[in-house]
Structure formats: C-alpha cells, structure tokens
Amino acid sequence: SYPGTLRPAATLATTEFNWANRGMGRRPAKCYRYCKNKAYPKSRFCRGVPDAKIRIYDCGMKKYNADAFPVAYHLISMEREQIGSEALEAARINANKFMVKNAGKESFHIRIRVHPFHVIRINKMLSCAGADRLQQGMRGAFGKPMGLAARVRIGQPLISIRCKPQHEHHVVAALKRASYKFAGRQVISKSTMWGFTQVRAENYVKWKEEGKCRADGVSAKVFRNRGPLKRAKYIKG
C-alpha cells in the first residue's frame, strides 16, 4: 500500500483498464442492420466466432406428416437487411409460447427459414479516463468477431407456421408478435400450397386420390410422367 492517496501512474492506468473491460453492453441492432459489405462467414481465416444464439429451428409437431396441417402462413421480409441470431431466437420463443398457450402444443409446426452465417465484428474501444494512453484510436481497426446474423433479401420468408384450419387466427397473431423482434418491415402472407409442400392446396387431395402424389414427411412426393415404362399405366391404342 502507498502512503496517503498517491499511487504510481502505471498502477493507476492498470486499475482503469481493468475497470473498463469489466462489462460492455451489446450494441443496438441499427449498428448491424444494413447489408453494406460482402458476406463474411466463419472459415479457417475467420476464427474464434461465438456460437449463434438460435440453435433450434423447428418447434412444435415437426414430425407430423403433410396430411396433419393443411394451412401455412409465412412472415416475409420486405427489406434487404441483416437479422441477428438473438432476434431470431427471441422471435422463435415468442411465437412458440403464444401458439402453445392458445392453440395447444400438438396443433402447429413452426420453422425458422433463415440461418445466421454472417459474422459481425466489433472494434472494442475503451471509454474511461486515460483511454487515450492505452489505445491507438483507428490504428488496427479491424474488429473481433462478436456474433452472427442472417442476411435476408426482399420477399424472403423468415418464419413459417403450418397448422389446422381452426387455428389460423392464432397463427396470424403469433407471427405478428414475432415480427416485433425484427427491424424493418415484414408482411404476413397465407400460403397457396398445402402446408409446407410444393402442391397447391386445391390439388393436394385430388392428386393424392389419383395417385399422383403422397405425403413424404412434412413435404410431398409428386410422381411425374417420366421413368420406366413398366411403371406407366397401360394405354389402349
């Protein structure tokens, strides 16, 4: 200990540096919202990237086949932007809780349609007394990896929910609540397809009865008019 209140300059600088690095809040989404540069994914050149906050992309009855949920709604982005993995996780939790509470845990399937691969960086700056003695300003300003974000384009689905017809209004409300977690503008659209399949809703039942398609997990397998002749129907001349 030093007599009185005097301490050497080196000890004072070390104390201030440790205090500054003790905790730093996350930057707001507006700092990383815009797609300004090329995509910067994790690679052997970009190391030390933290894991994405979102680890689950399917919630609800994800193993129910296509026949269980004929109706699907999509939350569609209307801006070209970047959405952080924290926002995706918050939207997933919000939509899932709302659907479980209002529709029941066996009456829906939520799928997050975008994945965060873009690495966002931060150039940490000290904001304490004497910081100018400890750092060099803009010298070596290329930042360290801080998190991950998904780069989305206009018209790209962010979240999709398939359900039974009696729960359509709950799905719209859940997607509306999820959109509050994202920057930018989103719209909610009802799919013209049967669930998550590529078959239009008005054709699915008819094609299935005619043997033109069948449920294949959450999607549908469509049988085209091609392949070996032994599988084709006999045609009278």
Side-chain angles (χ1 to χ4, degrees):
S1 62
Y2 299 97
T5 57
L6 298 177
R7 288 183 291 173
T11 309
L12 179 63
T14 305
T15 306
E16 290 172 350
F17 181 80
N18 292 337
W19 173 83
N21 274 355
R22 188 169 58 184
M24 188 174 182
R26 287 184 61 247
R27 288 180 177 176
K30 65 183 178 181
C31 298
Y32 300 101
R33 174 180 168 186
Y34 302 104
C35 296
K36 294 188 296 184
N37 304 312
K38 294 181 181 179
Y40 187 59
K42 180 180 178 181
S43 67
R44 68 179 188 273
F45 311 109
C46 174
R47 300 181 300 274
V49 179
D51 292 334
K53 288 293 185 290
I54 181 168
R55 304 305 296 263
I56 300 171
Y57 293 87
D58 285 88
C59 303
M61 297 294 104
K62 59 186 179 182
K63 293 189 177 180
Y64 280 21
N65 68 11
D67 296 334
F69 300 128
V71 179
Y73 279 81
H74 306 297
L75 181 68
I76 299 174
S77 172
M78 300 305 291
E79 289 191 25
R80 180 176 178 266
E81 61 180 352
Q82 295 177 171
I83 297 177
S85 62
E86 295 88 356
L88 291 171
E89 175 70 357
R92 181 192 68 83
I93 291 173
N94 203 336
N96 185 58
K97 281 188 176 180
F98 186 86
M99 290 299 297
V100 169
K101 180 178 178 181
N102 293 280
K105 63 181 182 180
E106 295 188 357
S107 58
F108 68 95
H109 173 202
I110 298 177
R111 174 171 286 175
I112 306 297
R113 301 286 298 276
V114 293
H115 289 238
F117 293 121
H118 178 70
V119 179
I120 54 180
R121 304 185 300 265
I122 182 171
N123 180 27
K124 284 189 178 179
M125 306 285 283
L126 300 178
S127 59
C128 62
D132 54 336
R133 294 185 296 166
L134 301 170
Q135 61 186 15
Q136 302 284 339
M138 289 299 291
R139 181 179 295 175
F142 194 86
K144 298 287 194 301
M146 188 191 75
L148 292 165
R151 293 163 69 92
V152 302
R153 59 185 182 273
I154 296 174
Q156 183 173 357
L158 302 177
I159 304 176
S160 297
I161 304 180
R162 60 186 183 122
C163 67
K164 298 176 180 177
Q166 61 265 32
H167 299 305
E168 286 189 53
H169 58 290
H170 293 316
V171 171
V172 174
L175 290 176
K176 183 69 174 175
R177 285 167 176 254
S179 69
Y180 295 149
K181 306 296 181 183
F182 300 140
R185 178 170 173 263
Q186 296 84 30
V187 296
I188 299 171
S189 174
K190 184 176 181 180
S191 176
T192 58
M193 305 299 174
W194 180 282
F196 288 170
T197 69
Q198 295 80 37
V199 181
R200 296 185 68 89
E202 62 267 21
N203 295 335
Y204 184 80
V205 176
K206 182 177 69 174
W207 285 12
K208 194 173 180 184
E209 291 175 351
E210 295 174 357
K212 293 183 178 179
C213 72
R214 62 174 174 82
D216 185 22
V218 299
S219 186
K221 175 70 175 177
V222 178
F223 301 108
R224 307 294 180 185
N225 294 326
R226 56 187 296 178
L229 288 174
K230 62 182 180 181
R231 204 179 66 191
K233 293 182 179 178
Y234 177 75
I235 302 175
K236 293 183 179 180

